[in-house]
Amino acid sequence: MNFDLQPTLQDPLIKVVPLKESDFENLYAVAADPLIWEQHPNKDRYKREVFEVFFKGAMDSKGAFIIYDQATGEVVGSSRYYEWNEEEKSIAIGYTFIGRKFWGKGYNTALKKLMFDYAFQFTDQIILYIGATNFRSQKAIEKLGAIKTTEIEVAYYGEPVKWNFLYQINKIAWNSR
């Protein structure tokens, strides 16, 4: 069974589909809110020229998604699979952002559940790099059972090195929650 890094995933709340070049404007309309990025290591990602680099990285990853609200069809945000390591049976999930109107309403939890459930069909461990000052994301991922394992510097695609926390969750912990 091959690990397709861009499946279509859905539940009653969201639909997660492969990101396409034609999604740029709709996704940027969500990303253009500076408050989304206020705790993120790259606080300027709301600027078009900075988001263009982010979007290029998403497309080049061949594992990126756009997320839609099932009820309204509105763009919720984006996430991606990357750093698939078949030998170690691990995958990274990240570069996630969600529009503020969807915060605190279960969208991030639904997204991670879909992505984790799918990934754990092929892998034993999920890795998440979260900015050292991104307290919202740290708290959200800890609620899902991920554990902070180390602190490292990470160079995001086309961006300078930033201080991050590395979180991990394995298949056994996920399935026993």
Side-chain angles (χ1 to χ4, degrees):
M1 204 158 146
N2 287 343
F3 190 173
D4 176 2
L5 294 180
Q6 283 187 303
T8 295
L9 307 170
Q10 60 186 329
D11 69 6
L13 188 61
I14 59 173
K15 185 170 186 175
V16 180
V17 300
L19 186 67
K20 302 181 304 294
E21 288 284 347
S22 59
D23 293 325
F24 179 85
E25 291 300 336
N26 289 331
L27 193 56
Y28 180 63
V30 175
D33 178 354
L35 293 178
I36 289 174
W37 309 104
E38 92 182 316
Q39 291 185 13
H40 193 273
N42 190 337
K43 296 175 184 349
D44 290 340
R45 210 175 267 163
Y46 67 92
K47 296 177 180 173
R48 187 178 191 91
E49 65 276 9
V50 177
F51 189 76
E52 286 171 349
V53 173
F54 171 86
F55 191 84
K56 181 177 180 347
M59 293 305 300
D60 289 352
S61 77
K62 301 193 182 338
F65 301 98
I66 188 167
I67 307 154
Y68 294 99
D69 180 283
Q70 286 276 40
T72 66
E74 290 178 87
V75 175
V76 172
S78 182
S79 191
R80 70 180 92 157
Y81 289 120
Y82 63 105
E83 293 183 6
W84 166 232
N85 186 324
E86 195 167 0
E87 287 180 17
E88 293 184 17
K89 296 193 98 179
S90 68
I91 187 84
I93 293 176
Y95 290 91
T96 305
F97 72 92
I98 293 175
R100 280 192 302 138
K101 78 179 281 183
F102 302 102
W103 288 3
K105 298 177 181 172
Y107 287 84
N108 186 54
T109 300
L111 171 66
K112 293 303 191 299
K113 183 178 182 325
L114 285 170
M115 291 182 77
F116 285 17
D117 286 346
Y118 175 77
F120 280 134
Q121 295 175 54
F122 308 95
T123 189
D124 294 331
Q125 182 169 269
I126 291 172
I127 298 164
L128 304 108
Y129 301 98
I130 299 177
T133 60
N134 194 341
F135 307 114
R136 281 189 298 262
S137 292
Q138 292 167 27
K139 185 177 176 183
I141 206 64
E142 287 169 359
K143 282 183 181 178
L144 293 173
I147 297 170
K148 178 182 161 189
T149 59
T150 192
E151 299 178 12
I152 59 172
E153 289 185 320
V154 173
Y156 293 98
Y157 181 95
E159 299 175 3
V161 172
K162 304 285 184 174
W163 199 245
N164 278 248
F165 297 159
L166 182 127
Y167 282 82
Q168 296 177 330
I169 187 163
N170 65 42
K171 184 189 288 190
I172 294 167
W174 180 250
N175 289 334
S176 65
R177 71 193 189 304

